[in-house]
Amino acid sequence: MFKKLLKGFGIALLILICLFVLIAVWSGYKSSEYEKTAIPYMDTAIADISSWELGTFKSYLTPSEVENINEDDLKRLIKALSKMGALVEIGEYNSIQLRPEH
């Protein structure tokens, strides 16, 4: 009876370990997909947005946001953000930060 219990526990533990390995492999695969698309997009978007021009900023908003946002508020936001200055350097991205969180 005790051997059957240990055998069942061992099988359950093995299944759990396999599940964690599969999740790790899947996460790595998804992360590599994000690196191919997200990093080039972020390089372009961050450089464009840091020009602090209203039209450029609006081009990165969703259509529903453009409809709902008050243009005067957006101008004030851009004016406040422009105090950060010009973009100096983006640097390297850490791929761990690009993984979606669940």
Side-chain angles (χ1 to χ4, degrees), residues 34-35 38-47 87 89-98:
Y34 288 120
E35 288 175 3
I39 290 177
Y41 177 79
M42 288 188 307
D43 285 338
T44 303
I46 292 171
L87 177 67
E89 179 183 1
I90 293 176
E92 294 294 319
Y93 296 102
N94 184 348
S95 62
I96 294 172
Q97 294 173 346
L98 297 177

Side-chain angles (χ1 to χ4, degrees), residues 13-49:
L13 186 62
L14 181 63
I15 290 172
L16 192 60
I17 290 171
C18 289
L19 182 65
F20 281 122
V21 168
L22 286 173
I23 289 172
V25 169
W26 182 76
S27 294
Y29 172 73
K30 293 304 275 184
S31 174
S32 68
E33 285 182 13
Y34 288 120
E35 288 175 3
K36 292 176 189 173
T37 57
I39 290 177
Y41 177 79
M42 288 188 307
D43 285 338
T44 303
I46 292 171
D48 287 349
I49 290 171

Side-chain angles (χ1 to χ4, degrees), residues 23-76:
I23 289 172
V25 169
W26 182 76
S27 294
Y29 172 73
K30 293 304 275 184
S31 174
S32 68
E33 285 182 13
Y34 288 120
E35 288 175 3
K36 292 176 189 173
T37 57
I39 290 177
Y41 177 79
M42 288 188 307
D43 285 338
T44 303
I46 292 171
D48 287 349
I49 290 171
S50 68
S51 68
W52 310 120
E53 295 177 12
L54 180 63
T56 304
F57 199 85
K58 285 174 86 172
S59 71
Y60 284 96
L61 296 175
T62 63
S64 63
E65 285 298 318
V66 172
E67 289 176 10
N68 294 328
I69 197 161
N70 182 339
E71 192 150 334
D72 290 332
D73 289 342
L74 186 58
K75 286 178 183 177
R76 279 186 274 164

